[in-house]
């Protein structure tokens, strides 16, 4: 499944490059102006596109970047995080409702049971730690958690907490493409992201020592 996501992303990039040679490409500032002119429709459409696209194996980073480019850092982060939570919860529930009974037959095997126990006992911290690892893909993690015994509220809390630092950084990066981001806002967002990541890291370390 991750390979399919890479192929889809590569195809999307190739299509955009091909269009760039045919159609006039607007500047990032123009895209922001168009989104601002759309009013409340822009965040709503970005949210819908974000949720739908991340229900299939397409890298979430692309849409976090677009959120910052079109909506700015504050609204962009809010839309990206809410869309991440909604998309994650939908795929989590789908995996749990359709696949849990099938997987449960094999949970007596040592390896599967060990993973299930680790996720379940770790709770939201275990989910959050997975979200903070860039190499761990978004959609397969949702399915894995849905097939495990981790509680829904722990999955949702861990997804939100673990996604804050990376999502904030990518959204702000998208916003910088317009060239109109105040340095003070960038500094504040960076401090918040680092503080959140550091606090979560200490919480995970503490939980691991207790375990």
């Amino acid at each position: 499944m991750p390979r399919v996501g890479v192929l889809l992303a590569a195809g999307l990039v190739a299509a955009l490059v091909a269009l760039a040679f045919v159609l006039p490409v607007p500047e990032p500032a123009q895209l922001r102006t168009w989104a601002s002119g759309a009013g409340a429709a822009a965040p709503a459409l970005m949210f819908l596109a974000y949720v739908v696209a991340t229900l299939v194996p397409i890298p979430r980073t692309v849409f976090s970047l677009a959120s910052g480019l079109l909506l700015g850092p504050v609204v962009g982060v809010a839309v990206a995080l809410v869309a991440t939570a909604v998309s994650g919860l939908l795929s989590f529930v789908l995996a749990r409702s359709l696949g849990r009974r099938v997987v449960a037959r094999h949970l007596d095997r040592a390896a599967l049971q060990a993973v299930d126990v680790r996720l379940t006992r770790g709770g939201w911290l275990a989910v959050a730690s997975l979200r903070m690892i860039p190499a761990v893909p978004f959609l397969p993690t949702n399915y894995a958690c849905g097939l495990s015994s981790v509680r829904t509220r722990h999955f949702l809390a861990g997804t939100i907490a673990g996604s804050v630092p990376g999502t904030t950084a990518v959204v702000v990066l998208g916003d910088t493409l317009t060239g109109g981001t105040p340095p003070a806002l960038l500094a504040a967002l960076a401090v918040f992201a680092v503080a959140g990541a550091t606090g979560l890291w200490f919480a995970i370390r503490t939980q691991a020592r207790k375990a």
Side-chain angles (χ1 to χ4, degrees):
M1 188 167 292
R3 184 176 300 176
V4 175
V6 172
L7 292 176
L8 288 175
L12 179 60
V13 171
L16 292 176
V17 171
L19 287 175
F21 286 99
V22 179
L23 301 175
V25 179
E27 296 290 333
Q30 289 179 308
L31 294 174
R32 173 69 62 81
T33 301
W34 292 346
S36 299
L45 290 174
M46 187 69 244
F47 170 81
L48 182 61
Y50 201 121
V51 171
V52 172
T54 49
L55 286 175
V56 295
I58 295 178
R60 190 172 62 91
T61 305
V62 175
F63 294 90
S64 297
L65 194 68
S67 296
L69 174 64
L70 298 176
L71 307 177
V74 178
V75 178
V77 168
V79 168
L81 285 178
V82 174
T84 295
V86 171
S87 177
L89 186 60
L90 287 175
S91 50
F92 173 88
V93 171
L94 180 64
R96 176 149 296 183
S97 60
L98 297 180
R100 177 64 183 171
R101 294 180 180 178
V102 176
V103 175
R105 304 172 187 172
H106 307 284
L107 284 179
D108 55 340
R109 298 180 183 179
L112 292 177
Q113 190 174 25
V115 173
D116 185 64
V117 169
R118 181 175 291 274
L119 276 173
T120 304
R121 290 182 179 178
W124 74 273
L125 283 175
V127 177
S129 64
L130 289 175
R131 296 302 189 195
M132 293 184 68
I133 303 174
V136 177
F138 179 71
L139 188 61
T141 302
N142 299 337
Y143 289 148
C145 290
L147 295 175
S148 73
S149 300
V150 66
R151 296 183 178 181
T152 303
R153 66 174 183 271
H154 291 166
F155 169 81
L156 187 59
T159 293
I160 295 173
S163 299
V164 167
T167 301
T168 300
V170 175
V171 170
V172 171
L173 176 61
D175 180 61
T176 59
L177 297 177
T178 64
T181 307
L185 179 59
L186 287 176
L189 290 173
V191 169
F192 293 153
V194 171
T198 303
L200 182 59
W201 180 76
F202 276 114
I204 293 172
R205 285 286 300 272
T206 303
Q207 182 71 16
R209 288 174 181 174
K210 290 181 180 179

